[in-house]
Amino acid sequence: METTKKKNFNLRSLGVLVLVLYIVFLIGPIAGLDVPTIAASIKANPLQLIQFLIIGISNGAIIAIIALGYTMVYGIIELINFAHGDVYMIGVFTSLTVLSLTGTLNSTNPVQIVLGLAFALIIAIVVCASLNATIERLAYRRLRNAPRLAPLISAIGMSFIIENIGLMWAAQAWLVPSFGTTGGASQKVFPDMLSALFKATGFNGGDVNLLVASGLPLRLTVKDILVIVLAVALMTGLYLFVQRTQLGKAMRATAQNRDAAKMLGIDIDLVITATFLIGGGLAGAAGLMAGLYNNTAWWFMGFRAGLQAFTAAVLGGIGNITGAMLGGFLIGLLASFSDGYLNARWTNAWVFATLVLILLFRPTGLLGEQVGQKA
Amino acid sequence: MDKNIKSGITFGLIGGFLTFLFGGWSVAVLGGMLGLGLGLSLGSRFERRNPLQIARASFMPALVAAVILVGLSLVQNIFILPALGKARLFDNQVIIANTIGFLVVLLLTIITCAIHGLSERQEGIAKLVLLAIVIITFPFIDKATGLRWSAQVIFALIFVILGLGLNIVVGYAGLLDLGYAAFFAIGAYTTGILSSPQHGIYMNFWLVIWIAAGIAALWGLILGAPTLPLRGDYLAIVTLGFGEMIPVIFRNLTEVTIKEPFTCWILPGITNLFGAKSTLACITFFERQDLTAGEKGISPIGRPSLPFIGEFQSDNPIPWYFLIIVIILLSIFIIRRLRESRLGRAWMAIREDELAASQMGIDPVRTKLAAFAMGATFSGFAGAFYAAYIRGIFPSVFDFSASIIILVIVILGGLGNINGVIVGGLVIMTADRLFLPALKDFLASLLTNTILPSLAGNPVLQAAVKDNANPILYRFLLFGLTLVIMMAVRPEGLIPSAQRRMELHAAEEMAGPVIPEETAKPNAMTVAGKTKAAAKKR
């Protein structure tokens, strides 16, 4: 511990860091990192900074919930569950379909909207949890003792399969009429149910923006509040579950040393299935939240979201549940500021650049990784 | 039933199904492939003895296959084509095509089988000669029969080169590179920038192809140097990120401005704080330069030319075909020599046990870096050829899906095996570029002529059936399934290298759990111990 700390702060690393920073600022303007322009726009409208902060935290909450699925699975079986982002995409489509089938989409009855959303949340969680566990059963279980690359390749294949299920799903206009006739490849609208709910109740003057009365040029909507509250509740629940319950203890034991856990009578298969169920359920919840928050559903959305969430998990320290939450919020903020001040087209490049930089300078993440030994 | 006749039936049915899709003269060409395939698979079953005897034994399966193929082809011509509302070939052409197909199946099966009766040395030579004849005659037969498969086969061959390059990285050195298409893009864009009106530079293709390979290799080094010490799965993600970034970068390099940060804003900013003005001039390298033309892509790109042939034309695939064949042969030669070299053996040692290899004096990072750079070199060649062949390059061609197609090729064919990768490339790419479009056309005309009219009463269902019957839309489902199924059933690929197969199945033979060499610390939160353990395990 002491030696690594010393190593991290020696002169050579500092030199490398300065060099990297210089290069970032030298070629950064290509990707929108133009410091004078950014400074000018912050000066012109400082309140916007708060706006991007709000957006960043809300998106970060969604990313954090997806990241939890990555980090839990990686902590236990040291596998990047590549299909996890696509499970989240299925969560978006499931909730959209449930909302459509229950008639909630066109409803103006507030009770029906609330009940429909709750029902969609439950169904999305159930569908995604079982999908994730099925993926584990079909694609990963028999490869558990294979060389490390084998399950990863299988995971990539699974990701493609699920993406194509999403692509087919988005083409079924008979199931969800709002998909329209544009085919499965186009982005679909996820109706803004919360604005509809506010219009229906007339609460806050029928406006979803809570700050509308204050007259500030800011938007802090119920969507933000809902996403953040739901995310924090899920994370707290998960944390308590892992720390306090018998199964959570078994999970931690399996993560530390699978064989030792087995010898102590822990059913490894059950623990791994439970991990995948929980991760999938969280992805399903994130799906509904993201649909409500960003109002789009797209078959390819899982890929990008998955990469951002994985970056968040690595940033916080893979295998570390608290780390994934922290990483999620940080990546959300990074993406939001990049969208706002740099250039939205380069946001993904910035996220990846962050990933590379973390892996180079602090591969164990901000809070340290918690990965056991794989037999 | 006899095993040989069974495989005759299988091959005949596959060929017959393909003639259903392609129709016309395809029966003759497919007959040739069928004959070769059947002959090779039958031949290895016989004991080495008199060629005549083997030829006699292989006659019956060959006849069965030929009859099935021609029978299905005739059914297609006489019954199916009119039902699909398509014109069929003239009757005498049908007869000629099917007769040729029939004879070709018989002859090629028997010849390739009989070769096995020769001595081992002679068999090798004969197989090479046969292969050379097939490769050389293919574009001419293709042209004569009007099938127009050459253009797609050239694509397949480009991906064969890419597969061979990725095979060095994944198959030999065991590094999962999920962004391999990035180097392909770098090769293609280098060619595009150096020989197109985009920047008014028109360099000769024969020079550019080497520059493209060199620059791709350089980028392999630049990317590899910081990332290769990482764990295997982290490396996969970082390469994936790089592969994602490269198309984004090429798409958005349309207004490049590079200014030296210290003179342009750091110093002025600091002096500004004190109310003074910086006297240093701002050093500007680029001001709003359009490097890559963004989404529009770079075109037209210069084409190669040779004495006697002149400049290669887009409507004549034959010179392109032979050019790529030459590139592939060179690549195979180089890769074979590399594999047997000290470096190649070091790659495999690293793949199998990095710790042991480094104890034996192999520098893991340097060896991996060499693999990365070599792999990138071949995709540089492929990229340069691709750019010149297509004459225009667009960023969307090089995204994550391209990397995955190349990975599927390597996995399907067989990790670490050159022949396997070639077969994998041909199978995947011809399936993607020839089979799926033909299947789509076939399904579409089948539906419009038979099922859709009967659904006229139910427009919603009719639209649903029509929209979903498009296999091209779901081609990645096929690739995803290939990856999952191959990993589950045959992780060593269709044509595996013996060594790799033993490795991949070693785990199954290992009995019981392995006791880890270092027991885990009781406290889950200790980080340093974990990383040390992780480093030890790799």
Side-chain angles (χ1 to χ4, degrees):
Chain A
M1 198 81 185
E2 296 317 299
T3 49
T4 43
K5 251 196 173 159
K6 260 182 205 159
K7 244 179 153 179
N8 275 344
F9 291 102
N10 65 14
L11 211 63
R12 192 166 156 262
S13 320
L14 195 72
V16 171
L17 195 69
V18 168
L19 187 72
V20 166
L21 278 180
Y22 183 81
I23 293 174
V24 165
F25 283 120
L26 179 67
I27 59 175
I30 301 173
L33 184 67
D34 192 3
V35 179
T37 322
I38 295 168
S41 69
I42 292 178
K43 221 179 208 174
N45 189 357
L47 270 182
Q48 220 175 17
L49 206 63
I50 299 171
Q51 184 68 65
F52 289 136
L53 202 70
I54 295 171
I55 296 174
I57 289 177
S58 306
N59 270 323
I62 296 170
I63 295 172
I65 294 181
I66 308 172
L68 286 174
Y70 277 105
T71 223
M72 286 174 70
V73 167
Y74 198 94
I76 286 197
I77 55 173
E78 291 203 22
L79 164 74
I80 300 170
N81 181 12
F82 222 85
H84 192 72
D86 301 301
V87 172
Y88 149 79
M89 177 270 295
I90 292 291
V92 180
F93 276 102
T94 310
S95 39
L96 182 52
T97 308
V98 170
L99 289 177
S100 174
L101 288 181
T102 51
T104 318
L105 287 187
N106 307 315
S107 166
T108 49
N109 181 355
V111 180
Q112 194 188 352
I113 294 178
V114 171
L115 285 180
L117 285 176
F119 185 61
L121 181 68
I122 293 168
I123 297 291
I125 288 175
V126 169
V127 166
C128 290
S130 35
L131 175 66
N132 213 22
T134 314
I135 292 170
E136 192 271 332
R137 185 72 194 80
L138 291 180
Y140 307 151
R141 184 166 293 182
R142 66 176 81 208
L143 297 173
R144 216 175 274 162
N145 290 319
R148 244 175 129 133
L149 293 189
L152 187 56
I153 291 169
S154 193
I156 295 167
M158 232 31 215
S159 153
F160 270 84
I161 293 172
I162 296 173
E163 271 171 21
N164 274 276
I165 292 174
L167 184 60
M168 286 180 191
W169 195 332
Q172 310 309 322
W174 56 273
L175 189 65
V176 183
S178 68
F179 282 165
T181 52
T182 45
S186 64
Q187 291 203 26
K188 308 294 177 196
V189 175
F190 194 112
D192 193 350
M193 296 308 299
L194 289 172
S195 297
L197 182 66
F198 266 63
K199 276 213 184 77
T201 52
F203 184 71
N204 195 28
D207 199 318
V208 75
N209 182 6
L210 296 175
L211 294 178
V212 71
S214 70
L216 286 170
L218 275 182
R219 280 177 66 82
L220 174 67
T221 63
V222 175
K223 294 196 264 185
D224 298 299
I225 305 284
L226 180 81
V227 164
I228 294 168
V229 167
L230 206 53
V232 170
L234 284 172
M235 289 176 208
T236 320
L238 180 71
Y239 188 80
L240 290 179
F241 172 81
V242 172
Q243 295 297 331
R244 298 280 164 85
T245 63
Q246 190 85 24
L247 188 57
K249 205 182 228 174
M251 275 178 185
R252 281 182 291 144
T254 312
Q256 263 185 36
N257 191 325
R258 201 192 298 161
D259 292 312
K262 210 174 192 172
M263 279 178 227
L264 292 173
I266 293 172
D267 185 349
I268 303 292
D269 283 341
L270 182 78
V271 166
I272 292 175
T273 306
T275 310
F276 274 84
L277 279 173
I278 293 171
L282 289 172
L288 177 67
M289 285 154 62
L292 289 176
Y293 190 72
N294 293 324
N295 302 117
T296 50
W298 190 33
W299 67 280
F300 201 59
M301 67 195 294
F303 181 74
R304 294 278 153 79
L307 275 173
Q308 289 194 347
F310 181 76
T311 307
V314 175
L315 178 62
I318 197 129
N320 187 328
I321 288 175
T322 330
M325 300 176 199
L326 177 70
F329 284 115
L330 288 178
I331 291 294
L333 286 174
L334 173 77
S336 153
F337 284 121
S338 167
D339 278 348
Y341 288 116
L342 307 181
N343 188 335
R345 289 187 299 180
W346 289 92
T347 296
N348 279 311
W350 283 112
V351 172
F352 293 133
T354 315
L355 177 65
V356 174
L357 289 180
I358 303 159
L359 289 177
L360 292 185
F361 291 105
R362 203 177 162 84
T364 52
L366 294 177
L367 300 187
E369 58 183 20
Q370 290 172 7
V371 181
Q373 275 184 284
K374 195 183 175 191
Chain B
M1 206 192 296
D2 187 9
K3 204 172 143 200
N4 296 339
I5 298 203
K6 250 187 200 166
S7 45
I9 294 174
T10 321
F11 273 81
L13 284 177
I14 295 172
F17 176 63
L18 291 176
T19 56
F20 256 62
L21 297 186
F22 293 108
W25 274 90
S26 67
V27 61
V29 179
L30 284 170
M33 293 179 199
L34 194 160
L36 278 180
L38 183 60
L40 284 177
S41 81
L42 282 183
S44 54
R45 287 183 203 164
F46 294 114
E47 275 174 46
R48 205 177 284 285
R49 49 180 184 195
N50 190 355
L52 268 180
Q53 265 177 317
I54 296 182
R56 212 170 293 146
S58 67
F59 178 72
M60 267 319 282
L63 187 69
V64 171
V67 167
I68 293 176
L69 175 78
V70 169
L72 284 177
S73 151
L74 286 175
V75 167
Q76 194 255 6
N77 257 297
I78 296 166
F79 298 108
I80 308 252
L81 277 189
L84 295 182
K86 279 185 182 171
R88 49 187 167 137
L89 289 180
F90 296 114
D91 284 333
N92 51 353
Q93 276 206 38
V94 172
I95 293 167
I96 295 171
N98 280 299
T99 318
I100 292 178
F102 187 82
L103 290 177
V104 160
V105 174
L106 268 186
L107 272 177
L108 275 178
T109 311
I110 293 171
I111 290 173
T112 35
C113 262
I115 282 173
H116 192 70
L118 302 170
S119 74
E120 215 160 310
R121 199 183 142 77
Q122 284 170 326
E123 188 195 353
I125 295 170
K127 270 188 182 164
L128 270 185
V129 170
L130 202 65
L131 198 65
I133 293 174
V134 171
I135 289 173
I136 291 170
T137 53
F138 171 76
F140 300 103
I141 294 174
D142 180 60
K143 201 174 178 187
T145 51
L147 283 174
R148 299 179 179 281
W149 285 357
S150 292
Q152 310 305 332
V153 169
I154 291 171
F155 265 105
L157 293 174
I158 293 173
F159 274 80
V160 166
I161 298 184
L162 290 169
L164 287 172
L166 184 63
N167 184 39
I168 295 178
V169 183
V170 183
Y172 293 163
L175 309 164
L176 186 57
D177 184 350
L178 294 180
Y180 190 68
F183 301 119
F184 182 39
I186 289 169
Y189 267 91
T190 308
T191 311
I193 287 168
L194 290 182
S195 58
S196 75
Q198 178 72 20
H199 296 281
I201 307 170
Y202 301 94
M203 276 170 124
N204 191 321
F205 174 80
W206 306 113
L207 180 63
V208 166
I209 191 169
W210 294 103
I211 298 177
I215 289 188
L218 190 69
W219 272 100
L221 290 178
I222 292 174
L223 177 76
T227 52
L228 282 172
L230 294 174
R231 279 210 294 259
D233 36 12
Y234 277 11
L235 178 75
I237 290 292
V238 171
T239 50
L240 183 142
F242 182 66
E244 266 293 289
M245 269 164 79
I246 284 290
V248 173
I249 289 172
F250 283 135
R251 189 170 288 135
N252 293 325
L253 283 184
T254 48
E255 278 187 5
V256 179
T257 305
I258 296 182
K259 289 177 176 172
E260 206 281 328
F262 190 72
T263 53
C264 286
W265 60 267
I266 296 179
L267 202 60
I270 293 169
T271 48
N272 229 355
L273 284 179
F274 299 105
K277 240 186 159 159
S278 160
T279 49
L280 272 175
C282 172
I283 305 169
T284 306
F285 299 104
F286 279 112
E287 188 83 60
R288 303 178 76 82
Q289 285 269 337
D290 186 356
L291 289 182
T292 59
E295 207 72 70
K296 289 191 309 259
I298 299 177
S299 76
I301 293 166
R303 292 177 290 202
S305 62
L306 276 180
F308 306 115
I309 302 171
E311 191 173 81
F312 290 17
Q313 299 300 325
S314 5
D315 54 353
N316 181 15
I318 292 177
W320 295 103
Y321 174 83
F322 285 108
L323 175 59
I324 190 112
I325 289 285
V326 168
I327 298 179
I328 287 185
L329 289 179
L330 271 177
S331 309
I332 293 174
F333 176 74
I334 296 170
I335 292 173
R336 281 215 168 144
R337 304 294 297 172
L338 266 177
R339 190 187 56 194
E340 306 304 332
S341 71
R342 193 182 168 79
L343 183 63
R345 284 175 283 136
W347 285 336
M348 286 175 228
I350 292 263
R351 179 189 74 202
E352 268 152 49
D353 192 336
E354 193 172 326
L355 193 67
S358 63
Q359 290 299 310
M360 300 301 288
I362 296 170
D363 182 348
V365 172
R366 251 183 155 170
T367 314
K368 288 180 186 174
L369 211 52
F372 234 61
M374 282 313 299
T377 312
F378 287 102
S379 64
F381 283 128
F385 180 90
Y386 175 85
Y389 177 60
I390 302 292
R391 296 208 79 193
I393 39 176
F394 310 95
S396 56
V397 178
F398 307 103
D399 59 8
F400 181 56
S401 52
S403 300
I404 290 304
I405 292 179
I406 306 168
L407 184 69
V408 174
I409 286 170
V410 176
I411 302 277
L412 180 75
L415 280 166
N417 186 310
I418 294 175
N419 294 343
V421 172
I422 295 171
V423 171
L426 289 176
V427 168
I428 290 286
M429 289 313 287
T430 46
D432 187 31
R433 294 205 155 245
L434 284 173
F435 175 72
L436 284 182
L439 186 67
K440 183 199 164 194
D441 286 347
F442 184 77
L443 273 181
S445 51
L446 191 71
L447 285 176
T448 43
N449 284 294
T450 54
I451 296 171
L452 287 184
S454 67
L455 294 177
N458 189 345
V460 179
L461 187 62
Q462 190 185 27
V465 171
K466 200 177 170 192
D467 291 342
N468 286 313
N470 183 358
I472 294 183
L473 199 57
Y474 305 120
R475 54 203 267 265
F476 277 98
L477 185 65
L478 215 64
F479 297 145
L481 278 173
T482 312
L483 285 179
V484 174
I485 293 173
M486 288 306 287
M487 277 300 121
V489 180
R490 213 179 149 93
E492 67 271 22
L494 289 180
I495 307 176
S497 71
Q499 203 178 4
R500 196 76 170 140
R501 176 167 41 192
M502 284 195 307
E503 236 174 87
L504 283 163
H505 285 293
E508 292 162 20
E509 285 144 27
M510 225 154 47
V514 181
I515 308 298
E517 62 266 70
E518 200 185 71
T519 37
K521 303 263 184 322
N523 181 3
M525 305 300 159
T526 43
V527 177
K530 292 287 174 262
T531 38
K532 217 192 288 164
K536 204 166 190 178
K537 174 182 52 198
R538 290 303 300 156

